[in-house]
Amino acid sequence: PQQIQFADDMQEFTKFPTKTGRRSLSRSISQSSTDSYSSAASYTDSSDDEVSPREKQQTNSKGSSNFCVKNIKQAEFGRREIEIAEQDMSALISLRKRAQGEKPLAGAKIVGCTHITAQTAVLIETLCALGAQCRWSACNIYSTQNEVAAALAEAGVAVFAWKGESEDDFWWCIDRCVNMDGWQANMILDDGGDLTHWVYKKYPSVFKKIRGIVEESVTGVHRLYQLSKAGKLCVPAMNVNDSVTKQKFDNLYCCRESILDGLKRTTDVMFGGKQVVVCGYGEVGKGCCAALKALGAIVYVTEIDPICALQACMDGFRVVKLSEVIRQVDVVITCTGNKNVVTREHLDRMKNSCIVCNMGHSNTEIDVTWSGVEFSSVQAPPVLPQGRLLNLSCSTVPTFVLSITATTQALALIELYNAPEGRYKQDVYLLPKKMDEYVASLHLPSFDAHLTELSDDQAKYLGLNKNGPFKPNYY
């Protein structure tokens, strides 16, 4: 028989990247994943990609140019995404219908800085329906859904955001929201504290006239407490992050589902049998661990809080120090809200194929400045997406859970804006328990039927007038 020749095959094998080349290849894949669209990549006009939105002259169908988005032509598709999101945000829509006749936010000028997604768009349009004027920017340079931003701009909302902003673009967009002749914000809705910090530092006269701040992230809340402790917080602020509806629903259940979505979309990795270390066992960490365990991953937990560490132990996870397992794990996930959790030393000791990502708000948990060095000179694993929030940067999040947080934010804004003088001092406040209970009741299945079935005592406890106008009483 004729002898099989492998010469050509061997030649092909030699063309495969070397060990150094494979690292470079992994890095390029990691970078490209951060540029992918969470829902509508094929709808992007690639011919416009080379031109910054700041350099474009765009107008909506009404002739307004008071916005800056990637491509206003995507508005129709974005509108469809918003309509789909509305179907699973029944409580927020119900709040809109019940309260829009009374316009509890009439006169409110809200400047917002959040993730701009279809779900956030439903919140923004609800605030507008309740009488507010809104100007909006993005709190994350990768999480904006361009088609949704276009739909908001088409609807008349002054939105300044696009996916893939530079750091300079990020602050420019925030400044455009705040700095407008003839318009001065009197309410702030923030996610991460960057907007609040910008107004406080650059526009102190505006900051002093703000009637209330609503903050939903642990990072932003921490910054508010720092201002309060230093005696520099001259306006009342509402801590939404530590409300029951945010901690026990958004942080836990949202992350339980979206962590896998983000990792699967960017890496296609199989988790069965993989060794994963989750840094932090708060509500976000709990959700991540539960999802990974369900897929058959071997999950380790690092935690400095002894109570949370004991919870992890009781839930069946091995509590370790990161340095103990860093050489053997396949995935590292940070969920602490702290900084420098994964350092240069950790990155240097990881396996080349180890995936590193962050489920906290800011990119400070991972030493991304060092991880961006050339792979040819030193080993460094791919960091998705450059250390920023994984789920909203690389995928989407469950609409129903976001509805709970969005409804809580809307009610917090209504409460702060309509509160009589003296009810709130210049401090950071937790949401009243009854407000959380009211939000939870809105999200019960068949809410309309449930509302009519409430006894008079139950309705009175929640501050609801079953047949009358919207006027919740949280006290």
Side-chain angles (χ1 to χ4, degrees), residues 145-389:
Q145 292 175 289
N146 286 335
E147 66 280 3
V148 171
L152 286 171
E154 175 61 30
V157 178
V159 56
F160 299 84
W162 59 94
K163 191 179 184 76
E165 298 170 359
S166 66
E167 288 292 331
D168 181 64
D169 292 333
F170 175 79
W171 294 111
W172 179 86
C173 288
I174 289 179
D175 192 72
R176 284 295 305 272
C177 284
V178 179
N179 185 18
M180 179 186 175
D181 292 338
W183 193 93
Q184 181 170 299
N186 54 24
M187 297 292 292
I188 290 177
L189 178 56
D190 208 355
D191 184 353
D194 288 323
L195 171 60
T196 302
H197 175 78
W198 186 261
V199 178
Y200 170 76
K201 287 292 187 181
K202 193 167 183 180
Y203 301 99
S205 60
V206 174
F207 190 76
K208 292 177 182 178
K209 295 179 181 178
I210 295 292
R211 295 175 63 169
I213 300 170
V214 174
E215 172 60 56
E216 73 156 310
S217 76
V218 63
T219 305
V221 165
H222 180 67
R223 296 168 81 172
L224 284 174
Y225 281 123
Q226 285 181 324
L227 280 178
S228 178
K229 187 177 181 180
K232 298 178 180 179
L233 183 64
C234 56
V235 296
M238 196 73 81
N239 172 2
V240 170
N241 178 74
D242 291 320
S243 66
V244 177
T245 47
K246 176 68 165 61
Q247 284 279 345
K248 302 298 182 182
F249 292 89
D250 192 332
N251 290 11
L252 176 60
Y253 300 120
C254 176
C255 295
R256 188 177 69 181
E257 298 195 19
S258 60
I259 177 64
L260 298 178
D261 190 19
L263 285 169
K264 289 284 189 182
R265 289 199 197 196
T266 50
T267 66
D268 291 326
V269 69
M270 185 171 183
F271 286 96
K274 289 291 192 300
Q275 298 191 57
V276 182
V277 58
V278 176
C279 302
Y281 202 69
E283 300 304 325
V284 174
K286 288 180 174 70
C288 293
C289 288
L292 293 162
K293 181 179 180 181
L295 286 188
I298 302 166
V299 182
Y300 304 99
V301 171
T302 71
E303 177 57 70
I304 61 171
D305 186 306
I307 296 176
C308 291
L310 181 58
Q311 284 182 310
C313 182
M314 297 300 289
D315 288 337
F317 302 109
R318 183 183 169 194
V319 181
V320 298
K321 292 182 179 179
L322 185 58
S323 57
E324 294 175 358
V325 296
I326 198 64
R327 287 188 181 276
Q328 66 194 61
V329 294
D330 303 292
V331 184
V332 178
I333 303 170
T334 56
C335 314
T336 69
N338 210 326
K339 64 179 182 179
N340 296 328
V341 177
V342 177
T343 64
R344 172 171 180 166
E345 180 184 357
H346 296 126
L347 291 164
D348 193 29
R349 296 174 59 199
M350 289 178 187
K351 294 193 296 188
N352 185 40
S353 58
C354 183
I355 298 168
V356 187
C357 62
N358 170 43
M359 285 291 285
H361 178 82
S362 300
N363 62 340
T364 57
E365 300 200 32
I366 304 168
D367 189 357
V368 291
T369 54
W370 176 82
S371 64
V373 300
E374 290 295 329
F375 279 69
S376 57
S377 60
V378 64
Q379 176 183 350
V383 180
L384 306 175
Q386 297 182 2
R388 296 182 182 272
L389 183 58

Side-chain angles (χ1 to χ4, degrees), residues 51-104:
V51 181
S52 169
R54 292 169 60 173
E55 300 174 4
K56 296 179 184 178
Q57 295 295 326
Q58 300 185 83
T59 58
N60 62 17
S61 62
K62 302 177 183 64
S64 173
S65 59
N66 188 20
F67 62 87
C68 189
V69 299
K70 186 72 172 179
N71 189 348
I72 191 64
K73 297 177 183 178
Q74 295 179 329
E76 183 178 352
F77 181 74
R79 176 52 52 188
R80 179 58 182 150
E81 286 202 327
I82 295 172
E83 291 171 351
I84 293 172
E86 288 176 347
Q87 302 306 308
D88 209 22
M89 301 183 79
S90 56
L92 194 59
I93 299 301
S94 176
L95 175 64
R96 182 191 299 182
K97 291 178 180 178
R98 287 172 61 83
Q100 64 182 355
E102 299 174 29
K103 304 292 184 188

Side-chain angles (χ1 to χ4, degrees), residues 370-433:
W370 176 82
S371 64
V373 300
E374 290 295 329
F375 279 69
S376 57
S377 60
V378 64
Q379 176 183 350
V383 180
L384 306 175
Q386 297 182 2
R388 296 182 182 272
L389 183 58
L390 174 74
N391 55 0
L392 279 157
S393 298
C394 297
S395 64
T396 57
V397 292
T399 299
F400 178 79
V401 179
L402 285 188
S403 176
I404 298 176
T405 300
T407 306
T408 306
Q409 290 172 309
L411 290 171
L413 286 167
I414 292 172
E415 172 64 20
L416 282 177
Y417 185 69
N418 291 282
E421 187 176 354
R423 173 178 290 178
Y424 295 106
K425 309 299 182 183
Q426 298 171 353
D427 205 348
V428 183
Y429 291 85
L430 292 172
L431 286 125
K433 181 173 181 286

